[in-house]
Amino acid sequence: MELYFSDPQQLLDIFLELEEQNLSLIQNSQDTEEALEEMKQTINKTKQKMERETELLKKQIEYLNEDIKREMDRENDLKIKASYFNYGEFKAEEQEKILKELNAKVEDVYINCIGSNEANISTLQMLTNIENKLEELFQKIEQMPPEKVQEAEKAKEKERRLKQREERIIEQKRNQEERIKKALERARAEPKKNMGRRLMVRSKPPATVKIDRKALDEANKIDEELAYYFT
């Protein structure tokens, strides 16, 4: 019977060849696992980025819906005013006054958004320029990084809330001062004198002017509250 291997080196060569094949398969498997892990990380990063962008877009949609609602309310208000003009509810002088007020408000927005109205353009032209400016700004916002836009929106919202708080404090202070002023006026006011001649006993001393202690105490109390809250 003839042997398959005539030389021991043949068996060693086969073992070496099989070992090289195994090493190559192991290396390919490791490369595949690394590529798969990189792909998973890329998918996770892409997913997180899309989630952030989706959340930002949702907020922008909410803001746009609020703007649309305000514009629709303003549109309805303008329609009502326009119907008054059509049905003659306002006189010519009143119509002219309302149009001047509207033009002043539009011009104020125009100056803040674009600049001074040196050319003295019409109200309609100012509105058109304002609309074009808004479209330009919206396009620039879309090209900006979402993180920067979100930070700017948060800062603007914080500024708006601080301004509202300051306005409320000023209004409260003004109302408080008005209350104090009225209370002091009531406290310091002289009592009403009776008309006509009043009989008096000679030996009786003249009556002294009485101060309204209740009103004066109230004024002092309000003054203390004002000093406590606004100083």
Side-chain angles (χ1 to χ4, degrees), residues 5-226:
F5 299 104
S6 59
D7 189 356
Q9 186 64 34
Q10 293 178 344
L11 183 60
L12 292 174
D13 293 339
I14 292 174
F15 283 149
L16 289 174
E17 183 179 358
L18 291 174
E19 186 178 1
E20 290 177 356
Q21 290 179 359
N22 287 334
L23 291 174
S24 177
L25 290 173
I26 292 172
Q27 184 65 37
N28 291 335
S29 176
Q30 290 177 349
D31 293 340
T32 303
E33 288 180 357
E34 291 178 358
L36 181 61
E37 185 65 26
E38 290 179 358
M39 186 177 296
K40 287 181 179 180
Q41 293 178 359
T42 303
I43 292 173
N44 290 331
K45 290 181 180 179
T46 304
K47 183 179 179 181
Q48 293 175 1
K49 181 179 179 181
M50 291 181 65
E51 288 177 351
R52 289 195 301 268
E53 292 179 352
T54 302
E55 187 67 23
L56 180 61
L57 289 174
K58 287 181 179 180
K59 291 183 178 179
Q60 291 178 351
I61 290 173
E62 291 178 359
Y63 294 147
L64 289 174
N65 287 332
E66 292 177 358
D67 293 338
I68 290 171
K69 185 178 181 302
R70 284 195 297 268
E71 292 299 327
M72 291 180 66
D73 294 339
R74 187 179 301 174
E75 179 185 2
N76 293 330
D77 187 34
L78 291 174
K79 284 181 178 180
I80 294 173
K81 291 182 178 180
S83 65
Y84 289 158
F85 284 122
N86 293 333
Y87 290 107
E89 293 291 335
F90 291 117
K91 297 180 181 180
E93 295 81 3
E94 294 177 350
Q95 294 179 7
E96 187 67 22
K97 181 180 178 182
I98 292 175
L99 290 176
K100 285 183 179 179
E101 292 177 356
L102 179 62
N103 180 74
K105 291 180 180 179
V106 173
E107 188 172 7
D108 184 50
V109 176
Y110 182 87
I111 292 173
N112 290 320
C113 294
I114 298 176
S116 60
N117 185 14
E118 297 178 355
N120 196 22
I121 59 179
S122 63
T123 304
L124 183 59
Q125 185 61 44
M126 284 192 291
L127 288 172
T128 303
N129 293 345
I130 292 171
E131 184 178 1
N132 294 334
K133 185 68 174 179
L134 287 175
E135 290 293 336
E136 179 184 349
L137 292 175
F138 282 139
Q139 291 177 0
K140 289 183 179 180
I141 290 174
E142 291 177 356
Q143 296 173 359
M144 294 173 64
E147 296 81 5
K148 296 292 183 181
V149 176
Q150 191 172 7
E151 290 177 2
E153 288 177 349
K154 289 181 179 179
K156 198 66 178 177
E157 180 67 17
K158 183 179 180 181
E159 181 182 352
R160 184 185 66 82
R161 291 180 179 177
L162 288 175
K163 185 176 180 181
Q164 287 181 347
R165 182 174 178 271
E166 291 175 357
E167 290 176 352
R168 285 196 301 267
I169 292 175
I170 292 173
E171 183 66 21
Q172 291 174 359
K173 185 176 180 180
R174 184 163 46 246
N175 294 335
Q176 196 78 351
E177 290 176 350
E178 187 67 22
R179 289 174 56 194
I180 292 174
K181 182 179 178 182
K182 291 180 179 180
L184 290 175
E185 288 176 353
R186 290 195 305 269
R188 294 168 182 171
E190 295 183 358
K192 296 182 179 180
K193 296 182 178 179
N194 295 326
M195 300 301 293
R197 188 175 180 181
R198 190 175 71 174
L199 297 176
M200 296 180 63
V201 181
R202 290 177 180 268
S203 60
K204 186 177 180 180
T208 57
V209 178
K210 293 184 178 180
I211 298 176
D212 191 345
R213 300 299 303 178
K214 183 178 180 181
L216 185 58
D217 292 341
E218 180 183 357
N220 292 333
K221 183 179 178 181
I222 295 174
D223 197 9
E224 291 176 359
E225 292 178 355
L226 180 62

